[in-house]
Amino acid sequence: MLKKNNKSFTTISDVAKHAKVGKTSISRYLNGEQDKLSDELREKIAQAITHLDFRPNHSARMLRAGHSKLIGLMLADVTNPYSIDVLQGVEHICRREGYMLMVCNTDNEKELQDRYLALLEAHRVDGIIVNTSGMAQKQISSLEQISCPIVLVDRINTSLGFDTIGLDNEAAAKEACQHLQTKAYEAILVITKSLEIDPRQSRVDAIKAFTQEHESMSCDIIEIESMTVSQLSKAIQAFIDANPKRKKAIFTTNGVAMMSTAKALKQLDIRIGSQIGLISIDDPEWAQLFEGGITVMRQPTQLIGQTACERLLTRVQGNEEPAQHIKLKAELVIRHST
């Protein structure tokens, strides 16, 4: 009698040898075709599997069937709270649908992105979700070379033919401006990271359009990609000095810009809410604790991740309809800062 093999090395051949049947019969048993086997064969195979403690290689079986049951998720910046929430949403759907998730953090570097794309292809993932926050257009364009389905998160305006899921940036910015208008704010300073990123540009364009339509409001814009906190403090002070008699507010385009702004205001010893208004897109946890809380347009980030994963799985399952560009609504959360 054969010795009981270590389960990590037990093969179909071992099971076939022990049961004294052909490998085809073992494959049929494992692949759900047991109705093609006699009762006697099924019993012999079951006993052999139990005796050898055989564990089928599900990955190999899935690949032979054309699916790996692996989904790739590529994050531009894993330290960004937005990315973490998107990850949780994607993971929820993967867990529900029986998929494993491979997470790659590109740290906004194209070389890392290309390396991870090659890695995900080598693992034959069924599809890839790409959180494009922080990614330049040239990085997005390189995704065209990938053969499996791709869904983009946080990049609505694309001509690449991918499904896209993200915030309705124009509507979010407009609703925030309407809130500022009802509170009689007149001079708006927009503080943003690089405008090479489409969603930020969309938000800034919507703010500019709103203030141009309402003569009582004005809009100044500062890009802070390479600014120190001290430099930002000086820029904010210049904005305040240029608008001495007008009610002033700062509009930051994401949580990172909001944090830099809060530090600069602290350095200037300016009280948020009483001396200057502050509103932002994104709602990091600390926003509700900062001096009575900061008013925000809260993104449905986990829902964005869930929707992206559900959309990707429809593509994996063969859906070939034209690319969809899904925009989800932000929620206005009013706090002390406005």
Side-chain angles (χ1 to χ4, degrees), residues 190-295:
V190 180
I191 296 179
T192 181
K193 298 283 282 182
S194 170
L195 290 177
E196 289 184 7
I197 309 306
D198 289 348
R200 293 177 204 153
Q201 185 66 65
S202 297
R203 294 166 192 176
V204 170
D205 288 346
I207 298 166
K208 286 167 62 178
F210 187 91
T211 55
Q212 286 168 2
E213 289 172 7
H214 298 84
E215 293 182 2
S216 63
M217 301 179 78
S218 65
C219 172
D220 293 280
I221 300 162
I222 300 176
E223 283 189 61
I224 59 168
E225 197 63 33
S226 57
M227 269 192 180
T228 64
V229 172
S230 293
Q231 289 171 329
L232 179 56
S233 296
K234 290 178 182 177
I236 292 173
Q237 187 62 60
F239 165 75
I240 292 171
D241 293 343
N243 296 277
K245 296 182 179 180
R246 307 178 76 197
K247 190 174 182 181
K248 295 168 282 293
I250 297 175
F251 193 147
T252 57
T253 57
N254 66 5
V256 177
M258 175 167 53
M259 174 62 84
S260 297
T261 299
K263 289 178 180 178
L265 291 171
K266 185 178 177 70
Q267 192 174 89
L268 290 168
D269 196 25
I270 292 174
R271 291 189 299 278
I272 296 173
S274 56
Q275 292 178 289
I276 197 166
L278 178 59
I279 191 168
S280 183
I281 293 179
D282 277 348
D283 188 21
E285 287 187 4
W286 59 265
Q288 56 190 301
L289 304 174
F290 194 93
E291 297 189 16
I294 297 172
T295 298

Side-chain angles (χ1 to χ4, degrees), residues 130-179:
V130 184
N131 172 11
T132 61
S133 176
M135 291 173 66
Q137 188 60 39
K138 62 183 178 181
Q139 292 170 275
I140 306 296
S141 300
S142 67
L143 299 174
E144 288 182 294
Q145 304 167 17
I146 305 303
S147 57
C148 67
I150 289 178
V151 171
L152 303 184
V153 166
D154 198 37
R155 187 67 59 111
I156 293 296
N157 298 320
T158 176
S159 59
L160 299 177
F162 298 131
D163 291 316
T164 61
I165 318 294
L167 184 69
D168 189 335
N169 293 294
E170 295 82 1
K174 182 177 180 180
E175 185 175 357
C177 287
Q178 288 171 335
H179 168 69

Side-chain angles (χ1 to χ4, degrees), residues 62-124:
M62 287 297 111
L63 287 173
R64 283 195 295 271
H67 295 288
S68 65
K69 299 295 281 188
L70 291 172
I71 293 296
L73 172 61
M74 201 154 63
L75 301 174
D77 179 8
V78 77
T79 65
N80 189 328
Y82 175 93
S83 299
I84 295 170
D85 284 347
V86 168
L87 164 61
Q88 290 176 335
V90 172
E91 187 180 38
H92 173 77
I93 300 302
C94 283
R95 190 164 56 243
R96 187 188 75 189
E97 300 298 328
Y99 281 78
M100 290 290 291
L101 186 62
M102 294 182 67
V103 181
C104 303
N105 174 38
T106 70
D107 205 22
N108 291 319
E109 294 181 15
K110 188 177 185 307
E111 285 186 6
L112 265 180
Q113 174 191 309
D114 293 342
R115 192 183 310 166
Y116 283 136
L117 283 173
L119 176 69
L120 293 172
E121 281 207 298
H123 280 80
R124 297 179 65 178

